[in-house]
């Protein structure tokens, strides 16, 4: 897949005239609405209340089939100099909001990248074409999502539905632990045994 083609799929809500000092790239397959509620609104409140700066834009990057790769948030600071202490405060806050491992802050002026993130992520992919051969009453994505959410002790679920594949995403403290719980569940229901499990953070 060509990078140029991917870049055309970047959905941005930033005005071309807006400037930013840092990009907060969050390794989260999160919808635009959830990105706004989970990250942008809380972070903007944090920035303005502390007189650090404000959000100037951001976007979501998708792969060719439409699956989200990551989201990002652009921040403009009120002060010209960016202190390490403020950056650390911002990183800690975004981690509290749930930012997974594989996230990073990119400083626009120096192009320095600072990795961060605490949660790990698991993706479960179902082949829609195979599932169509089954009893549709038995194939219930909502049921699977709810059950796995309980097993993984996660409250924020994400999903993506492609033409032939459905992906469910869960973020928690340990991928290995979530995978063990998910595997046990999948083997309990033969219809879901062919699902593909992948680590996404």
């Amino acid at each position: 897949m060509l990078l140029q083609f991917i870049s055309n799929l970047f959905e941005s809500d930033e005005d071309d005239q807006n400037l930013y000092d840092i990009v907060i790239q969050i390794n989260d397959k999160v919808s635009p609405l959830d990105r706004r509620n989970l990250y942008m609104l809380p972070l903007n409140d944090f920035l303005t209340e502390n007189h650090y700066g404000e959000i100037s834009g951001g976007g979501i990057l998708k792969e060719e089939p439409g699956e989200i790769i990551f989201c990002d948030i652009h921040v403009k600071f009120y002060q010209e100099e960016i202190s390490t202490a403020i950056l650390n405060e911002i990183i800690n806050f975004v981690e509290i909001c749930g930012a997974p491992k594989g996230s990073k802050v990119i400083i626009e002026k120096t192009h320095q990248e600072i990795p961060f993130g605490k949660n790990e992520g698991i993706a479960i992919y179902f082949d829609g074409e195979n599932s169509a051969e089954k009893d549709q009453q038995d194939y219930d994505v909502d049921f699977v999502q709810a059950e796995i959410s309980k097993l993984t002790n996660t409250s924020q679920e994400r999903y993506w539905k492609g033409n032939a594949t459905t992906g469910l995403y869960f973020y928690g403290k340990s991928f290995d632990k979530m995978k063990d719980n998910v595997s046990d569940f999948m083997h309990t229901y033969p219809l879901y045994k062919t699902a593909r499990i992948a680590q996404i953070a």
Side-chain angles (χ1 to χ4, degrees):
M1 183 164 38
L2 297 176
L3 180 60
Q4 181 179 3
F5 182 72
I6 293 177
S7 66
N8 290 336
L9 291 177
F10 193 86
E11 298 180 353
S12 177
D13 49 22
E14 180 176 2
D15 190 314
D16 290 339
Q17 301 302 316
N18 284 343
L19 300 177
Y20 54 88
D21 295 307
I22 64 170
V23 176
I24 304 175
Q25 188 179 108
I26 304 173
N27 184 32
D28 191 333
K29 296 179 182 293
V30 65
S31 70
L33 179 59
D34 285 339
R35 176 183 66 120
R36 177 178 180 271
N37 293 333
L38 295 175
Y39 296 112
M40 294 189 73
L41 292 180
L43 178 59
N44 196 64
D45 288 343
F46 173 81
L47 292 169
T48 56
E49 288 172 2
N50 287 282
H51 306 289
Y52 292 155
E54 60 188 20
I55 292 174
S56 63
I60 288 176
L61 186 67
K62 294 182 178 181
E63 289 184 301
E64 184 176 347
E67 184 179 14
I68 292 171
I69 304 175
F70 62 78
C71 67
D72 70 12
I73 299 172
H74 298 176
V75 175
K76 179 66 178 177
F77 289 104
Y78 296 145
Q79 303 296 326
E80 184 174 348
E81 294 298 324
I82 307 171
S83 73
T84 300
I86 290 177
L87 284 176
N88 286 335
E89 284 187 46
I90 292 171
I91 287 172
N92 290 336
F93 184 83
V94 181
E95 286 179 335
I96 291 172
C97 291
K101 293 178 178 179
S103 302
K104 59 186 176 182
V105 168
I106 304 169
I107 301 176
E108 178 66 11
K109 187 175 181 179
T110 64
H111 302 291
Q112 178 187 0
E113 297 185 0
I114 306 172
F116 73 96
K118 291 185 177 181
N119 283 336
E120 298 186 349
I122 185 171
I124 303 165
Y125 295 100
F126 298 94
D127 188 332
E129 293 179 352
N130 289 341
S131 67
E133 300 173 0
K134 306 294 184 178
D135 185 343
Q136 292 300 310
Q137 292 182 345
D138 291 336
Y139 184 77
D140 187 343
V141 173
D142 291 337
F143 166 74
V144 176
Q145 191 174 42
E147 288 300 307
I148 293 177
S149 181
K150 293 177 185 177
L151 291 170
T152 56
N153 193 29
T154 56
S155 58
Q156 297 291 342
E157 305 89 9
R158 295 92 157 105
Y159 72 92
W160 162 71
K161 186 172 179 59
N163 292 330
T165 304
T166 297
L168 305 180
Y169 316 116
F170 303 87
Y171 296 89
K173 293 182 179 180
S174 169
F175 166 78
D176 290 332
K177 186 174 181 179
M178 290 189 291
K179 182 180 179 182
D180 288 342
N181 291 334
V182 168
S183 298
D184 291 342
F185 170 78
M186 293 299 176
H187 283 86
T188 303
Y189 294 87
L191 182 61
Y192 308 132
K193 287 178 68 173
T194 58
R196 179 170 61 90
I197 297 174
Q199 184 168 6
I200 52 176

